[in-house]
Amino acid sequence: MFFDAKDYAAAARVLGGLVEEVPEQTGPRLLLARSYYHSAQLRRAEAELRTIVEQDPVEHYARLMLGRTLQRQNRHEEAESHLRIASALAGDFEQR
């Protein structure tokens, strides 16, 4: 509902409580990270995404979002490795 209304800050408030209740679940934490990303709370998005990647290093979408979050913070070199890993996990290999 909050995503449809593009009220990402409100979504983050609701999802923050849910993540506290079930910190081991990736889905709510990923939605929280997306809420932070879309509401320009990039440091918070980064923290949530790093937690997901620590818990599940092959979570492709978290890697992709982490790379994009780092890009938005002008940390392009750091972003590149996460974007490459996300691409490989998704099966997107360069054809030679």
Side-chain angles (χ1 to χ4, degrees), residues 81-95:
S81 65
H82 293 287
L83 293 173
R84 270 191 269 121
I85 292 169
S87 182
L89 291 170
D92 298 332
F93 300 102
E94 287 184 28
Q95 298 294 321

Side-chain angles (χ1 to χ4, degrees), residues 26-90:
T26 300
R29 190 176 298 275
L30 196 52
L31 284 173
L32 177 59
R34 286 182 58 205
S35 298
Y36 286 147
Y37 178 87
H38 288 299
S39 61
Q41 298 179 63
L42 300 177
R43 294 283 183 183
R44 287 180 171 179
E46 178 185 348
E48 296 301 331
L49 292 164
R50 288 192 184 278
T51 298
I52 294 169
V53 167
E54 286 175 15
Q55 292 174 348
D56 187 359
V58 296
E59 171 49 60
H60 144 265
Y61 190 66
R63 289 275 184 182
L64 176 64
M65 279 194 63
L66 180 55
R68 289 184 178 168
T69 300
L70 293 169
Q71 283 178 328
R72 282 186 66 186
Q73 296 177 70
N74 291 317
R75 294 162 60 191
H76 299 286
E77 286 184 33
E78 197 176 344
E80 191 174 321
S81 65
H82 293 287
L83 293 173
R84 270 191 269 121
I85 292 169
S87 182
L89 291 170

Side-chain angles (χ1 to χ4, degrees), residues 15-30 48 55:
L15 290 164
L18 181 58
V19 167
E20 286 180 18
E21 289 180 32
V22 288
E24 71 286 351
Q25 289 188 11
T26 300
R29 190 176 298 275
L30 196 52
E48 296 301 331
Q55 292 174 348

